[in-house]
Amino acid sequence: MGILSEAGRVLATSLDLNTVAERAADYFMRSLNTAGCAVSLLDDRGELLTLPEVTRQPLAGTADERGDLLKLPAVRRVIAEREGMLIRAVTTELGSSQASWMRRRGITSMLMLPLLSHGEVIGLVELWHRQTTRLFDDREARVARALAATIATALENARLHKQTEGRLVELAALNETSRALTQVLSLDDLYDLLPRQLERVLGVRSLTLALREPATGQLAVPLDVRDGRREP
C-alpha cells in the first residue's frame, strides 16, 4: 500500500500527459528495480502513441524500434485479453518476431501490462531486464499490476485535462472570430477578415466563398484564397 500511495502522490503533481507518463515509467523502474520502462497510450484510432522510454542505459537497436509495437504478438494479446504477460527472449510461444525484437534491443525478459480505465485499454506498460539471470517473479508482477491501475488513472486524468484544454482554446478562438465578424460593416472588410481568422483558428490557408446572385441565379466568387494569397 505504501508504494501505491507514493505513486499516487508522485503522479498527482502534474497534469501534463508526457510528464505523467515519464514519471510513471521512472517510478515503475525504480520500484521494481528493472533495467527500463516505457509507457504507450492508445489514441482515438486505436494506434499506440509511443512516449519516451526511461532506461538505466540506452537500449540497442534503432530509434524507431518501438514504432511498430502493435505488430508484436505479445502486444496484440495483452491489449485483446486485457491481461499482463511475462515474456522471455528465448520464448517460442509467440513466434520469432517477438523474440527477435527483444534480442535486437538487448532485452532478456519483459513484463507487459495493459493500462485500463473503466474497463477499456488506454495504453501499455513495458518493463524489462537485460541480465539473463534476472527474471520477473510473481510478487513483482502483482506489484506491477497494482501500480498499473494507479498509473492508468493518472494518465487518463492527464489525457482528459489535455482534451479539455484543447477544446477551451478552440472555443475561445471561435468566440473571438464570431465577435470580430459581427463588427464587420462591409463585405470588403469581411473578405479581408475571414481568411485571416480561419487560418489562425483552423489553420486553413485556402478557401473559396461563392454567393448566389438573386437576379440571375448564377454563382459569383468574391473570395478565392490559395495558400494564403487572395486571387484577383
Side-chain angles (χ1 to χ4, degrees):
M1 290 299 293
I3 290 178
L4 299 182
S5 298
E6 184 184 352
R9 288 195 299 272
V10 169
L11 298 176
T13 58
S14 176
L15 282 172
D16 177 74
L17 190 57
N18 284 343
T19 300
V20 172
E22 186 173 349
R23 288 179 180 175
D26 180 69
Y27 194 82
F28 256 119
M29 186 181 72
R30 289 187 292 105
S31 298
L32 297 173
N33 193 29
T34 65
C37 177
V39 175
S40 305
L41 294 176
L42 283 170
D43 64 14
D44 294 336
R45 297 172 298 174
E47 297 181 359
L48 277 176
L49 303 174
T50 55
L51 301 172
E53 300 169 341
V54 177
T55 63
R56 297 187 188 278
Q57 63 184 97
L59 288 170
T62 60
D64 61 349
E65 282 282 356
R66 298 184 64 234
D68 294 325
L69 274 177
L70 281 175
K71 295 180 181 178
L72 295 176
V75 174
R76 293 198 300 269
R77 183 181 295 186
V78 166
I79 291 175
E81 298 179 0
R82 303 179 186 181
E83 291 288 342
M85 180 177 291
L86 289 165
I87 313 152
R88 297 182 63 186
V90 296
T91 185
T92 57
E93 176 191 358
L94 297 170
S96 60
S97 61
Q98 181 74 47
S100 297
W101 182 84
M102 292 174 66
R103 285 196 296 268
R104 283 199 308 273
R105 311 200 76 212
I107 296 172
T108 56
S109 64
M110 173 175 278
L111 174 60
M112 285 189 179
L113 297 164
L115 291 169
L116 301 172
S117 177
H118 304 293
E120 297 296 324
V121 178
I122 64 168
L124 179 78
V125 173
E126 306 157 68
L127 296 156
W128 59 81
H129 291 306
R130 304 187 67 182
Q131 300 172 344
T132 55
T133 56
R134 186 77 167 86
L135 301 175
F136 291 98
D137 57 33
D138 291 339
R139 186 198 67 82
E140 290 173 325
R142 288 195 301 271
V143 172
R145 288 187 181 95
L147 280 174
T150 299
I151 286 166
T153 300
L155 287 168
E156 183 66 3
N157 289 341
R159 181 157 65 173
L160 290 174
H161 176 74
K162 184 177 181 179
Q163 290 174 351
T164 301
E165 257 191 341
R167 288 170 185 157
L168 289 175
V169 170
E170 291 173 0
L171 183 61
L174 289 173
N175 286 337
E176 182 184 334
T177 299
S178 177
R179 286 196 302 271
L181 292 177
T182 57
Q183 296 173 7
V184 169
L185 299 177
S186 70
L187 287 177
D188 286 339
D189 289 341
L190 174 65
Y191 301 152
D192 179 61
L193 176 65
L194 190 59
R196 290 187 283 110
Q197 288 294 108
L198 289 178
E199 181 176 356
R200 190 177 68 83
V201 176
L202 301 176
V204 173
R205 290 181 54 79
S206 298
L207 69 101
T208 300
L209 176 65
L211 299 176
R212 182 176 177 273
E213 295 284 356
T216 64
Q218 299 293 318
L219 286 178
V221 182
L223 180 61
D224 188 18
V225 179
R226 294 289 176 268
D227 197 24
R229 296 182 59 183
R230 185 172 177 179
E231 298 292 324

